[in-house]
Amino acid sequence: KLVEADLSDPNTCHFLVGGTTGSGKSEFLRSLLLSLLYHHSPQQLKIALVDPKRVTFPEFEGMSWLLSPIVKDCDRAIELMAELVDEMEQRYRKFERAKCPHLDAYNQQLSNKQNLPLPRIVCIFDEYADFMAEKEIRKELELSIKRLGAKARAAGIHLIIATQRPEAKVVTPIIRSNLPGRIALRTASEADSKIIFGGNNTEAAYLLGKGDLLYQKGGKLERLQSLFAERIVLP
Ligand SMILES: Nc1ncnc2c1ncn2[C@@H]1O[C@H](COP(=O)(O)OP(=O)(O)O)[C@@H](O)[C@H]1O
Ligand SMILES: [Mg+2]
């Protein structure tokens, strides 16, 4: 049974993905990315990829869906998030002038005038904790995430953020309260599981690994198996 999430739904517009090393976070992000590419053309969808370890998305470099080249260092990551905030604000100004409440209404109006739609933008961020060590960087990234989390959905901009260290220092209350959709792969401890779900749920510590996951949507938890997309070895 294939489960898909609707990014235009307020409960699943932004995701936090947590799990220990080897639990299957990067593979989950890759299959999620492939699903997005399969369903939407580069005119309808732009993708921003952040890959500090440089091993998650190698085959996607240069694809026509990319908003900008794959981001690998923290200065660019900060810039990218600030660019997304700017894009969001610009879109809100356009919506206001057109008297439209959100992206779909605005695009409908554009298509009535035979104009191309504004694409949705999905930012997929692997290994978020890699950039959280320095306080200044953490503050800047968090500020952007907070602003995007609060109102990017209506503008058609979505965040999917994965971390191997779902501990309180990395997954701060700001991050948590702005990323409503949750995916937990196997965590290293019960405490990490609780941090991902934001309650007393320790179940993620007892998952099997390799893509075995819990998906929290609203108040409901579903246990699922992540898809696995074999890597293409480029010549
Ligand atoms: N959905 C899956 N199905 C089968 N095997 C998987 C799946 N996800 C991950 N694995 C296995 O686990 C390994 C580690 O996955 P990876 O996504 O790199 O973990 P992480 O990013 O959490 O460290 C993969 O190389 C693969 O062998
Ligand atoms: Mg990984």
Side-chain angles (χ1 to χ4, degrees):
K1 186 178 145 224
L2 191 64
V3 174
E4 292 180 322
D6 179 358
L7 290 175
S8 66
D9 181 324
N11 289 317
T12 52
C13 54
H14 309 292
F15 273 94
L16 174 65
V17 180
T20 188
T21 306
S23 60
K25 296 178 300 299
S26 298
E27 293 300 339
F28 172 75
L29 294 181
R30 286 166 52 82
S31 62
L32 180 152
L33 171 60
L34 283 169
S35 162
L36 286 170
L37 303 184
Y38 186 76
H39 285 289
H40 307 283
S41 72
Q43 286 72 43
Q44 300 168 317
L45 173 70
K46 287 290 172 238
I47 301 280
L49 297 174
V50 187
D51 186 8
K53 297 259 192 295
R54 301 167 188 231
V55 293
T56 305
F57 304 114
E59 318 96 302
F60 299 96
E61 190 81 83
M63 68 173 179
S64 40
W65 284 266
L66 281 186
L67 186 69
S68 61
I70 298 177
V71 172
K72 292 153 188 168
D73 61 75
C74 91
D75 290 344
R76 257 305 287 155
I78 290 173
E79 264 172 42
L80 171 70
M81 299 309 274
E83 286 163 18
L84 291 176
V85 172
D86 285 347
E87 176 67 25
M88 172 181 79
E89 299 296 352
Q90 264 183 44
R91 288 185 174 197
Y92 267 94
R93 285 194 291 274
K94 285 182 185 157
F95 298 172
E96 194 185 357
R97 281 197 297 273
K99 302 194 168 53
C100 291
H102 53 65
L103 184 77
D104 289 337
Y106 182 75
N107 279 341
Q108 185 60 47
Q109 228 188 62
L110 285 184
S111 74
N112 293 342
K113 297 179 191 152
Q114 319 268 305
N115 285 322
L116 288 176
L118 278 182
R120 282 191 185 266
I121 299 174
V122 179
C123 173
I124 304 179
F125 202 134
D126 199 10
E127 296 298 357
Y128 177 69
D130 282 19
F131 294 148
M132 294 295 273
E134 276 177 60
K135 200 170 158 208
E136 282 311 304
I137 296 166
R138 186 165 80 211
K139 275 211 292 220
E140 287 207 46
L141 283 177
E142 274 192 349
L143 186 63
S144 295
I145 290 172
K146 185 179 170 187
R147 293 165 74 183
L148 290 167
K151 58 178 209 179
R153 179 179 68 88
I157 300 174
H158 308 278
L159 299 176
I160 295 165
I161 293 183
T163 176
Q164 62 159 315
R165 288 172 39 212
E167 60 205 45
K169 223 173 66 200
V170 174
V171 180
T172 60
I174 291 182
I175 300 287
R176 228 174 345 163
S177 58
N178 286 291
L179 306 174
R182 303 291 160 76
I183 302 286
L185 292 114
R186 192 167 65 81
T187 57
S189 67
E190 293 192 339
D192 286 357
S193 172
K194 286 186 196 167
I195 285 175
I196 297 167
F197 294 124
N200 271 322
N201 192 323
T202 56
E203 274 178 68
Y206 303 99
L207 291 170
L208 302 173
K210 300 204 171 190
D212 186 18
L213 65 82
L214 289 165
Y215 169 35
Q216 186 181 50
K217 186 190 174 187
K220 244 181 40 212
L221 262 193
E222 275 188 272
R223 187 165 177 191
L224 304 171
Q225 171 65 36
S226 160
L227 296 176
F228 184 66
E230 213 175 325
R231 279 162 198 260
I232 305 160
V233 182
L234 296 172

